[in-house]
Amino acid sequence: MANTNLSVARDFSITPGPRAQEEGDFSGEQFLNQVLLPRFKEAVDAQMRLLVDLDGTEGYATSFLEAAFGGLARKMGAKKVLSVLTFKSEDEPFLVDEITKYINDAER
Amino acid sequence: MSKKLYSTEKWKSHLKVRQDAEMRKAQERNREVRSHTYPRRSPRPKRDTIVLPLPNDFSIIHNPEETVQFLLDFENRSRKKNIKLDLSALSTITTDAIAALIACIHRIRMTGTLVSGNSPNEESCKTILLQSGFFSHVRHRQALPSADKGKISQRESKKVEPKLAQELVHRGTAGIYGQPRKCQAAYRVLIESMTNTNNHAARSQFERETWWSTVYADTDRKAVCYTFLDTGVGIFKSVRLGTIRSAYQLAGRIFGFRSDADILREILEGKVESSTGLKYRGKGLPAIYNRMKAGRIKSLVIVANRVYANVSKGDFRMLNTDFRGTLLYWEA
C-alpha cells in the first residue's frame, strides 16, 4: 500500500493547543475536523496509508492527541484507523505508543 | 458705493449690546455653579503600616509550611494595614515563591492597601529577584537591568495560550543555551496546566481565574525552572473534583482514612476516573507524571489547598495551612 503524508507542523501548527476549540487556538478538535479527518478519508478512498509526521512542533498536550486521534477512532473505528495511519516521531518516540493507546481506548 | 452692513456703526453698536448681554448671562451662570456645594469625598482613612518579614527560606517547594503560612498572614494582615515586606534577612528564595508573592501583591493592591518592601542583603537572592522578572510587576525607585533569564506572565484568560507556552519555553532555553530551543515536555506541562485551570480553577463553571506562569533559567544548575500558579479554588475544592473527593472520603470512612494527598497520588497514577465520566478524559496529570518518570521533567512539585506533593521524591503530605489555588513547579 502506498503512503501519503501529513505533517502537523506544516499542515496545521507548530504550537498545538488544547482539546476543544472553545478552550483555545490550534485545538485537537480543530485539527481533527480541518486536517486529519479529510486527509484520512482521502487516504481511505485512494486505498493508501496516511503517514502522520509529528515532528517539528513545540510539543503536544495529552488532550490534543486524544481529541484528534481518539476522536478519529470514535468516528471511524479504532481498527480502521490503525490500519490506515502510521506515525513518524523522532523528536519524541514515545508519542507513537501514546497515540496508539488513545486510539484503542477511544471506543471503550 | 454703499457700505457693507457689518461695517456700519449701527451694526457694530448692536453687536456690542448683544455681547455685553451674553457676558452678563455667562457671569451669572458661573456664579450659580460656584455657589453650589458638592459633597466632599471623605479622605481615605489613614492606615498604619506594619513590617512583615519574609521567612528566611522563602520557597514553597522547599519550605512549604512556613512559606504558605506567610502568604496567608500577608493577605490577612493587609485587610487592615498597609504592609512593608522585609526581605533583608532572606537567605534563599525560589521562583515558585516569587510567583505566589506577586499574585498576592496583585490581589492585595486591588483592595487599596499599599505594599512596599526593601531589598535582600544576600546577593544571590537579589539576583534571582532581578532576573526572575519580579520587578516588571512592582514599582522600583532606581533603574534596574532587564530580566534576561526569566519572565513572569499573568493572564485572566478563558483560553489556553499555546503561543505564550512557546514564548516561555524559548525564554528559558535561551537563558541556558544562548538560543531558544524546543522542550516538548515543558511545553506539554504548560498546556496541560492552562487546560486544568480552565476546567478546575474557577469557583463555578462560569467564572475564570487569574493564572501566573513563570520561567527562570538557573544557569548555575543548568536547569530551566517553570512555575504555573492559578489562584482559583484549588483542585480539591473545584466543582469537578468535588464529587470524586466526596466519594473518596466516603470510601475512606468505610475502608480506612484517605487524605487529599492520597487522592492526588492516585490521580497522578491514573487510578481516578475523570469527573466527566468519560473514560478517555482526565489523562493530563497522569501524562505529566509519566513524563517525570521518563526523566523528561525533573523536580515536579504540586501544591493544592492543603496538599503538598514533591512528586519526584515521593513525598505526599498534608499541610497545616490552606494554600490558595494550585501551584505546579517543574524543571526541564
Side-chain angles (χ1 to χ4, degrees):
Chain A
M1 206 186 242
N3 266 350
T4 175
N5 77 42
L6 179 170
S7 158
V8 180
R10 185 193 62 213
D11 301 329
F12 184 62
S13 171
I14 59 162
T15 54
R19 170 183 294 277
Q21 258 175 295
E22 72 263 15
E23 289 175 329
D25 294 335
F26 312 121
S27 65
E29 188 187 353
Q30 187 186 351
F31 174 65
L32 171 64
N33 293 329
Q34 291 178 4
V35 183
L36 183 60
L37 186 60
R39 296 293 297 274
F40 180 84
K41 285 179 176 168
E42 279 172 25
V44 170
D45 291 345
Q47 294 190 315
M48 294 173 97
R49 297 201 82 175
L50 178 62
L51 172 70
V52 180
D53 184 352
L54 300 160
D55 291 336
T57 70
E58 290 291 332
Y60 297 92
T62 311
S63 46
F64 176 93
L65 296 174
E66 204 293 319
F69 298 100
L72 184 66
R74 280 187 286 280
K75 282 179 193 269
M76 308 303 292
K79 211 171 166 187
K80 184 156 195 178
V81 169
L82 288 172
S83 69
V84 174
L85 295 190
T86 56
F87 299 97
K88 174 175 173 273
S89 181
E90 285 166 11
D91 292 349
E92 290 281 7
F94 70 88
L95 283 177
V96 178
D97 287 342
E98 189 178 345
I99 291 170
T100 307
K101 189 172 184 312
Y102 296 149
I103 293 170
N104 281 320
D105 287 352
E107 288 181 315
R108 283 177 203 162
Chain B
M1 218 166 108
S2 65
K3 255 184 158 182
K4 285 179 181 159
L5 176 65
Y6 55 80
S7 60
T8 60
E9 279 306 312
K10 195 178 170 188
W11 179 255
K12 283 179 183 169
S13 101
H14 167 73
L15 271 185
K16 179 88 174 78
V17 170
R18 283 198 61 185
Q19 280 168 354
D20 290 346
E22 288 299 322
M23 190 178 283
R24 269 197 306 279
K25 276 191 218 165
Q27 281 168 347
E28 243 156 65
R29 271 199 307 270
N30 288 345
R31 257 198 300 277
E32 276 170 27
V33 170
R34 271 190 227 115
S35 64
H36 183 80
T37 53
Y38 291 98
R40 287 188 68 187
R41 188 191 290 176
S42 54
R44 185 187 284 176
K46 267 200 167 179
R47 285 176 153 199
D48 293 336
T49 299
I50 52 162
V51 177
L52 204 59
L54 268 70
N56 289 1
D57 180 7
F58 190 56
S59 168
I60 296 174
I61 55 171
H62 298 139
N63 183 20
E65 288 287 7
E66 221 182 333
T67 306
V68 171
Q69 183 61 55
F70 165 81
L71 294 169
L72 186 71
D73 287 348
F74 181 23
E75 289 229 48
N76 287 342
R77 291 184 182 206
S78 70
R79 290 194 186 113
K80 289 184 180 163
K81 302 201 170 179
N82 293 329
I83 306 282
K84 183 173 181 188
L85 296 171
D86 181 8
L87 284 74
S88 59
L90 274 182
S91 57
T92 50
I93 187 166
T94 51
T95 47
D96 52 285
I98 293 174
L101 182 65
I102 283 288
C104 247
I105 292 173
H106 178 79
R107 256 194 323 260
I108 289 168
R109 276 188 176 160
M110 293 210 290
T111 65
T113 301
L114 300 177
V115 182
S116 57
N118 57 13
S119 188
N121 295 332
E122 173 66 43
E123 279 302 319
S124 61
C125 295
K126 261 188 212 169
T127 308
I128 292 180
L129 274 176
L130 269 174
Q131 291 297 328
S132 64
F134 175 80
F135 289 102
S136 308
H137 296 270
V138 294
R139 273 178 289 175
H140 41 91
R141 286 194 184 133
Q142 64 270 61
L144 297 169
S146 63
D148 299 326
K149 292 182 183 174
K151 184 179 169 77
I152 301 175
S153 302
Q154 180 231 353
R155 291 286 191 276
E156 282 170 45
S157 175
K158 293 182 179 186
K159 299 278 186 188
V160 171
E161 297 193 32
K163 292 287 177 196
L164 176 65
Q166 178 189 39
E167 188 192 333
L168 291 170
V169 170
H170 285 194
R171 170 72 72 110
T173 50
I176 297 288
Y177 305 109
Q179 54 185 12
R181 284 191 189 181
K182 285 176 191 168
C183 179
Q184 293 215 0
Y187 180 84
R188 173 181 282 228
V189 184
L190 281 166
I191 299 287
E192 303 287 7
S193 303
M194 292 177 195
T195 308
N196 278 345
T197 297
N198 282 345
N199 292 340
H200 293 292
R203 278 155 240 276
S204 77
Q205 286 172 331
F206 306 103
E207 284 179 57
R208 297 292 177 217
E209 293 289 348
T210 306
W211 50 263
W212 301 78
S213 49
T214 76
V215 64
Y216 179 71
D218 188 337
T219 43
D220 295 339
R221 295 191 299 123
K222 292 257 178 240
V224 184
C225 311
Y226 297 89
T227 305
F228 190 93
L229 168 69
D230 79 54
T231 54
V233 292
I235 50 178
F236 291 99
K237 290 181 184 168
S238 74
V239 178
R240 283 199 172 178
L241 210 69
T243 45
I244 289 175
R245 190 178 180 224
S246 307
Y248 264 72
Q249 281 170 342
L250 181 66
R253 277 197 284 276
I254 298 166
F255 303 111
F257 180 72
R258 276 164 129 172
S259 68
D260 284 348
D262 298 323
I263 298 176
L264 180 61
R265 189 197 295 268
E266 296 192 3
I267 290 172
L268 288 168
E269 289 170 353
K271 292 178 183 168
V272 176
E273 201 177 286
S274 164
S275 54
T276 60
L278 299 168
K279 290 211 164 136
Y280 56 86
R281 297 289 296 266
K283 296 182 189 297
L285 281 170
I288 293 173
Y289 181 58
N290 288 335
R291 297 276 58 73
M292 185 212 74
K293 283 199 295 185
R296 308 307 295 257
I297 57 170
K298 293 179 283 180
S299 307
L300 176 64
V301 176
I302 302 173
V303 182
N305 306 117
R306 291 206 171 196
V307 176
Y308 168 84
N310 189 328
V311 187
S312 302
K313 291 183 177 169
D315 176 11
F316 288 74
R317 59 183 139 116
M318 297 298 289
L319 297 173
N320 293 323
T321 314
D322 207 346
F323 177 72
R324 186 173 171 174
T326 305
L327 179 140
L328 262 85
Y329 173 88
W330 69 100
E331 294 175 5

